[in-house]
Each structure stands twice: as C-alpha cells, then as structure tokens.
Amino acid sequence: MEIVSENKAHGGRQLVVKHASAATSSDMTFSIFLPPQAEAGEKRPVVWYLSGLTCTHANVTEKGECRAACAEHGLIFVAPDTSPRGDGVPDDPQGAYDFGLGAGFYVDATQEPYARNYRMWTYVTEELPQLVGSEFAADMTRQGITGHSMGGHGALTVALRHPGRFRSVSAFAPIVAPSQVPWGQKALGGYLGEDRAAWRKHDAVALIEDGARVDEILVDVGTSDTFIENELRPELLEQSCAKAGIDLTLRRQPGYDHSYYFISTFMAEHLRWHAERLKRG
C-alpha cells in the first residue's frame, strides 16, 4: 500500500492510496478521508462513495465537498476508482466513455477479454473493505454506502445484496434499472453476456422484484438532468419500493443537472442522513 498524497483538511487527513489488487489484477487507487476523531485513534463509521461513468476517485474527492460534513459527524469517507486501469487492461474497442476504462459498472465480468480485470464487484464488496478495515481506524460494524449515476446503481445493488452490512444507503441520480436502459444494457451485456437472468442481481429494481430488501433509501435527482428519462428512470425505483414496502425518500430537485454542482449541493444532507443512522445502536 502506497500513500500517493496526504493533505490536512478540516482537522483530519485526506489520503490518496494506491495498492496492488488481487481482484482486478491491476494497481488500484482510492481516496480516504480520516476525520479528526479517527486521527485521534477512535474507531469511526465508514461511508463508501461509488462514482459514475468516466470518473476516478478524484472527482468526488476534489469536487464533492464532503470533508466538512465528514469531520462534523466523524465519518470516514472512501471513494474507489470506477474500473481497473493500467497496461494490459482492455478498454472498449471504440473508445466509448460508457464501457471499459472508467465504466466498470461494479460487476464481476464473465466475458472475454474483460473477465480477468473487470472484477469491480469483488473489489468494492470484499477486497477494499478488508484493506480499509485492517489499515485504518474504521468501525466496519457501522457502514453506509452512496454513489452517483453508475455509482448510484452500484450503491443500491451492493446494499440490497448485503442488507446486514450497511445501515444506510443513498444515491445521487442513480441508474436504478440498468436492464431497461441503454447504458446498463450495453454494460451488462458486454461484461456478463446476453443471459438477462444474470443481469438481475446487478439491477436494483429487479433485485427488489426478486425479494431483496433494505429498510429505507434516500435518492436525489435533478429535474434538469438530461439523463433522467432515458437512463436513470427514478420512477421505476419509486414504483418497486412502493410495492415492496421500502421507505424511499425520492427528492426531485428543481433545476439541478447531473454534475458535481448538483452532488456537492446535497452532499452534506446525505452525509448527515447517513450519520444519523450510523449512530444507532
């Protein structure tokens, strides 16, 4: 494990860390903010943030405006990369932004040539939590998860498939039903093959239809988000949660788009929401 950079912020430390990943057979980079309480040696709850298409750890670290709220509430904030990278890691043959590098979709690929490296599900649910739990002052009995767009899809599916691990889940403009929209159909087909039954465990709406449950979900989406109708489809999550009895707070924020201007506006509210649930006994 190599600390690439280290900066003091809000009484805590912002780190960027690089390590060799067995899951992805590549070097991986993630950022982690350690609040003042963790710096004092106190075990603190963890909020995971999964980023969207084209992003790395750096987007939310530099533009998400998360550190003040994390310091206030004593939250460790971890942001992994969105895909493996490096020499020999295959990309989309056409260089498209929505598949390959920067677009791992938080699945374990079964299709060649992606199966060796694109194991982001194992990376974010097993390998990285083990590393964070062993190397930092993280209370792994208190975890929350959030994310944006493709990462919102990841946050929802990870939480739905690990209901005992996460005390809280939220999302910014998530892709809620990837099996039903172009971004998801391209990614799930390319990584997992054409058997749509295999897609369902990576589709939040399908998981809920198949019986997966969490107690509650917070989602924000901007009404001026250009992807809302064709790619995000928040109404599908609204319908599935209502039918399943899941307490969904879906806030359609007037005039906001898909960018980090939107995310940073509501980041502190999401972190406060997570902190309230992570404090419970």
Side-chain angles (χ1 to χ4, degrees):
M1 191 179 74
E2 172 191 354
I3 296 178
V4 177
S5 65
E6 178 177 350
N7 298 93
K8 189 173 181 66
H10 297 279
R13 275 191 305 156
Q14 177 65 63
L15 304 178
V16 174
V17 180
K18 182 177 179 180
H19 70 109
S21 167
T24 67
S25 300
S26 68
D27 285 343
M28 294 294 292
T29 301
F30 66 94
S31 72
I32 180 168
F33 177 70
L34 301 170
Q37 300 90 333
E39 290 293 86
E42 182 181 341
K43 290 274 190 177
R44 299 306 304 170
V46 181
V47 174
W48 302 89
Y49 179 93
L50 304 184
S51 295
L53 290 168
T54 75
C55 292
T56 69
H57 69 281
N59 297 73
V60 69
T61 306
E62 297 171 2
K63 297 186 290 187
E65 300 182 21
C66 60
R67 281 176 288 271
C70 286
E72 177 185 353
H73 300 297
L75 302 173
I76 294 174
F77 189 91
V78 184
D81 202 347
T82 53
S83 79
R85 301 179 193 271
D87 294 341
V89 176
D91 196 3
D92 181 89
Q94 307 302 319
Y97 77 94
D98 56 357
F99 190 81
L101 298 181
F105 250 83
Y106 306 102
V107 303
D108 281 354
T110 59
Q111 303 300 297
E112 298 300 336
Y114 306 103
R116 179 174 182 269
N117 301 111
Y118 284 79
R119 296 179 50 79
M120 289 300 295
W121 180 268
T122 295
Y123 179 70
V124 299
T125 65
E126 297 180 18
E127 185 176 32
L128 188 56
Q130 290 171 4
L131 177 63
V132 169
S134 64
E135 297 294 334
F136 301 98
D139 181 353
M140 303 303 282
T141 68
R142 293 186 291 163
Q143 298 184 63
I145 190 166
T146 186
H148 170 233
S149 193
M150 176 185 73
H153 137 77
L156 293 174
T157 56
V158 168
L160 284 163
R161 288 175 59 185
H162 298 84
R165 181 186 300 186
F166 297 97
R167 298 192 184 187
S168 55
V169 55
S170 74
F172 300 90
I175 305 168
V176 305
S179 300
Q180 301 185 49
V181 301
W183 274 344
Q185 290 166 352
K186 178 178 181 178
L188 297 180
Y191 292 131
L192 302 178
E194 294 307 313
D195 180 8
R196 288 182 172 244
W199 298 7
R200 294 187 68 82
K201 66 181 181 179
H202 293 290
D203 180 310
V205 168
L207 282 166
I208 293 169
E209 290 175 351
D210 292 344
R213 296 290 184 268
V214 293
D215 291 336
E216 55 184 336
I217 303 170
L218 171 64
V219 170
D220 275 310
V221 63
T223 61
S224 295
D225 191 320
T226 56
F227 302 114
I228 193 170
E229 292 185 4
N230 293 327
E231 303 288 4
L232 307 181
R233 304 291 305 277
E235 75 280 1
L236 297 178
L237 182 66
E238 193 169 36
Q239 293 162 12
S240 64
C241 285
K243 187 174 181 179
I246 295 173
D247 182 5
L248 170 67
T249 300
L250 174 59
R251 308 189 303 186
R252 293 175 171 89
Q253 302 290 0
Y256 285 91
D257 58 19
H258 200 66
S259 72
Y260 269 88
Y261 295 107
F262 155 64
I263 298 166
S264 64
T265 300
F266 300 102
M267 177 65 81
E269 293 183 27
H270 277 241
L271 291 171
R272 180 170 60 251
W273 189 86
H274 283 278
E276 290 170 354
R277 285 146 185 82
L278 293 170
K279 288 176 183 176
R280 296 172 182 170

